[in-house]
Amino acid sequence: MVVGDISTGTDVLVIGAGPAGYVAAIRAGQLDLDVTLVEKEAYGGTCLNHGCIPSKALLTASDVAHQAGNAEEMGIYADPAVDLEGMVGWKDDIVSQLTGGVEKLCKANGVNLIEGTATFDGENTVRVSHGGEGQGSESIDFEHAIIATGSRPIEIPNFAYSDDPVLDSRQALALDSVPDSLVIVGAGYIGMELATVFAKLGTDVQVIEMLDDALPGFDRDLARPVKKRAKSLGIEFHFGYGASNWEPHGDGIRVEAEPAGDAAADGGQAVEEEALELDAEKVLVAVGREPVSDTLDLEAAGIETDDRGFITADDRARTNVEHIFAVGDVAGEPMLAHAGSNEGQVAAEVIAGEPAALDYQAMPAAVFTDPEIGTVGMTESEAEDAGFETVVGKFPFQASGRALTTGHTDGFVKIVADAEAGFVLGGHVVGPEASELIAELGLAIELGATLEDVASTVHAHPTLAESVMEAAENALGQAIHTLNR
Ligand SMILES: Cc1cc2nc3c(=O)[nH]c(=O)nc-3n(C[C@H](O)[C@H](O)[C@H](O)COP(=O)(O)OP(=O)(O)OC[C@H]3O[C@@H](n4cnc5c(N)ncnc54)[C@H](O)[C@@H]3O)c2cc1C
């Protein structure tokens, strides 16, 4: 300990106040543990400040503008003007309401909040430094620690985020004017959501993706309607390319991309073989996220990571060091806010001696593109690989009265079940409100519900949720509003 330092102790020390860390801290507080939460930047982490919430706010606002300007079919004629500064201001108000709420909830649950950057000093001690030079530091002894330091965007060679026209997702969500043109590197969910925002605001968007299709990792059936709609919004895709460099060009920049080489060309668009040059005002890089684990002095506590820097944790969120836990993005996939929160709750409960454990069987994922994607449980082929004989039911939104009245009929609900016992194994939705509809299918899996249970649950009419019931009926060969298989 440095002379002059203050030294304190706590039962549970949580590092990072994102959705994994603050939920862990609140749950630990509810369980009557003495808990201290250290945050270096802002309560709510990436999710509330620069991720889930800001991106969804801008998706909603850009959709309002786009729909208002494209509603002639409904007899509405409008030409909305967009003030991005105003839109971002509205988003910032939402963010501060939520982050203020996190701080209040932590305090109300007895969580001791400390602003500063934590690094390990040993197996039972961290040093927390406050602000810049001369701001001092303190040493905190802990019985248990929960690491929840999250992730940051991966930088690719020649595209430093400190260079003005090069943006990461955080900078893209804080722009004060709508760029005329934008190159997006990466067609994962973050790249595709932001492509949707800017295309709807009138930006000319081009997407470069190394692989042969958009939304890698998602079922192709689910990705297809999203890519089709993206193209109809004017988004141009260049699959099988890796961005290699950029240079100033005219009033903007020129982005160079090289063929990625091994990408197959079945993503609906031929992979070109020549190098590409794309002109734009700015370039947004969204190629994935890496763990924030290299700044923690993990070695001082003997905590192990994998070769990409993710902290390895077991099904109780425990690291290789018995009393230290890792939750959220820093502990690897699934890198989603709700997964992190769930892991945070489990870690707190394990520390309190409760019989909690992680179970990813009913972990949903949602993509807020147009149309949205919601998915939970096993796909048909995953279920078959796991040894199940499957039965599948499908319902297209084109047959849904409610979908027709919203003007959004792209997509479908698909339900995968065990053919013999009828248990729901997976649910996959692409279409309007897919991110909400997936909750019913997640609950069905969690409760061990059967196709009969879902089909015999009366759903209000006219709702999009009826489509889930119809998909279950379809699997049973009893569909009313579609022809049965
Ligand atoms: C544009 C975008 C959109 C997204 N949309 C969604 C979505 O719709 N749904 C979804 O589920 N997920 C979404 N995500 C992912 C989601 O944001 C993350 O999965 C989630 O934030 C991870 O939570 P976390 O608590 O693990 O880490 P973070 O939210 O990253 O929080 C970590 C916190 O730790 C702090 N910290 C780091 N190091 C230290 C230290 N040494 N000392 C003290 N504090 C430290 C950081 O300042 C930060 O506040 C999105 C991400 C992005 C970028």
Side-chain angles (χ1 to χ4, degrees), residues 15-22 38-53 55-56 116-119 148-153 169-170 173 189-190 193-194 289 292 295-296 327-330 334-340 366 368:
I15 310 174
Y22 82 73
V38 185
E39 168 56 50
K40 72 178 171 65
E41 199 183 332
Y43 298 115
T46 305
C47 174
L48 264 53
N49 295 283
H50 322 289
C52 324
I53 297 298
S55 59
K56 267 79 260 182
T117 304
T119 48
T149 47
S151 64
R152 60 178 166 240
S169 54
R170 175 176 178 162
L173 291 167
Y189 85 90
I190 294 177
E193 287 185 0
L194 290 169
R289 297 179 65 81
V292 178
T295 48
L296 281 164
V327 295
D329 283 11
V330 77
M335 290 167 78
L336 294 166
H338 48 275
F368 296 76

Side-chain angles (χ1 to χ4, degrees), residues 328-414:
D329 283 11
V330 77
E333 296 290 347
M335 290 167 78
L336 294 166
H338 48 275
S341 298
N342 181 245
E343 291 161 6
Q345 277 174 294
V346 167
E349 287 169 12
V350 171
I351 291 171
E354 300 211 349
L358 296 168
D359 177 7
Y360 294 100
Q361 202 192 332
M363 182 65 69
V367 182
F368 296 76
T369 39
D370 180 2
E372 293 182 353
I373 291 178
T375 174
V376 65
M378 290 186 249
T379 61
E380 197 177 347
S381 58
E382 282 167 352
E384 278 161 11
D385 290 349
F388 289 99
E389 196 187 317
T390 59
V391 60
V392 166
K394 231 173 151 178
F395 184 78
F397 283 110
Q398 253 156 4
S400 154
R402 183 63 185 129
L404 282 160
T405 65
T406 68
H408 298 289
T409 53
D410 283 348
F412 56 83
V413 176
K414 183 174 173 180

